[in-house]
Amino acid sequence: MDRHLLRDTAYDKLCEAIVDGTLSPGEALHDGALCRWLGLSRTPVREALNRLRDERLIEMEPQRFTRVAPVTVGDVQELLPLLATLHGLATELAVPRFDARRIAALRAHNDDFVRALRAGDPTATYDADDRFHAVFVDSSGNAELPRVLARLEPRLHRLECWCAGSLPGRRSVAQHQAIISRAEVGDALGAATAMRANWMTLGSVFERELARA
């Protein structure tokens, strides 16, 4: 396996462990222990750590520490307005390109979202929500949007895992329905406004849960 693939392997495993809490906020990360755990040499592990630092998932101070970044209300306040803006843009670009098949996909994903909420299943809830929003991103016609959002996804998914005790509620369901209704009649601006509100509602859910932690 070449170094590029080794670096990606190290990144994927470390990122997953940080997102799901296997590596907890504030936990010290030592090169030797990580190399043994991953079964990799120091170079790809260090490259992965540098990428995780750039993505704000770890904190590094040369010759002092490398540790998992905390989960804070500040993360929500920084990340969710940005996601709201990007997904609002995706919606505005996508709606004029929509057809009946895409509207049907939105309804199906939203139905899955509602069922998962009623079951109190955080994983299924956020999986369905991801699929709902992906319809707009994938239909936007802008190749940069998926790349930018992919870089932010680990921090979002970490918040989802950390705040799994508080799921979106009826307000989020109503916003999804408003997004679908406006998209169906070609109201791109109205759908984008509802989309931004939907992401900010999720931010409020995260903030409430973190305030209780």
Side-chain angles (χ1 to χ4, degrees):
M1 189 179 295
D2 64 33
R3 196 177 83 176
H4 173 75
L5 294 177
L6 290 173
R7 178 194 65 202
D8 291 344
T9 297
Y11 169 83
D12 289 343
K13 290 182 178 179
L14 288 170
C15 185
E16 181 180 7
I18 292 169
V19 167
D20 69 17
T22 301
L23 295 172
S24 59
E27 183 169 346
L29 303 174
H30 302 289
D31 288 6
L34 292 176
C35 291
R36 289 189 295 273
W37 180 49
L38 296 169
L40 296 171
S41 66
R42 188 175 184 275
T43 297
V45 170
R46 292 303 298 178
E47 290 175 342
L49 290 173
N50 286 335
R51 180 176 170 187
L52 291 165
R53 176 201 59 204
D54 292 343
E55 294 180 358
R56 309 283 297 282
L57 290 170
I58 69 169
E59 299 174 330
M60 297 174 68
E61 188 70 35
Q63 309 303 319
R64 293 187 58 204
F65 60 78
T66 300
R67 64 193 178 201
V68 179
V71 180
T72 69
V73 171
D75 293 322
V76 180
Q77 294 169 345
E78 178 179 85
L79 185 62
L80 270 294
L82 179 56
L83 289 170
T85 299
L86 292 169
H87 281 279
L89 173 61
T91 302
E92 194 170 338
L93 293 173
V95 166
R97 304 161 65 93
F98 268 13
D99 53 20
R101 179 178 59 83
R102 290 183 174 91
I103 296 296
L106 290 175
R107 294 193 188 281
H109 298 323
N110 195 45
D111 287 345
D112 290 343
F113 179 74
V114 172
R115 280 192 293 269
L117 278 176
R118 288 174 177 165
D121 184 336
T123 300
T125 295
Y126 287 122
D127 283 349
D129 195 49
D130 285 348
R131 295 195 302 274
F132 179 88
H133 293 293
V135 174
F136 293 95
V137 175
D138 294 344
S139 304
S140 69
N142 186 317
E144 286 302 316
L145 271 172
R147 286 195 277 268
V148 173
L149 288 166
R151 188 175 182 274
L152 301 174
E153 273 182 3
R155 290 179 72 195
L156 171 63
H157 292 162
R158 191 181 188 213
L159 286 167
E160 290 171 351
C161 288
W162 196 257
C163 300
S166 295
L167 293 176
R170 286 176 293 179
R171 185 176 182 185
S172 189
V173 172
Q175 287 166 339
H176 277 199
Q177 291 168 342
I179 292 165
I180 295 169
S181 296
R182 294 171 188 180
E184 190 170 23
V185 298
D187 181 4
L189 292 178
T193 297
M195 179 65 78
R196 287 189 290 270
N198 183 235
W199 279 98
M200 296 310 295
T201 295
L202 180 60
S204 297
V205 171
F206 290 160
E207 287 189 20
R208 285 196 301 271
E209 180 66 15
L210 288 172
R212 289 202 294 263

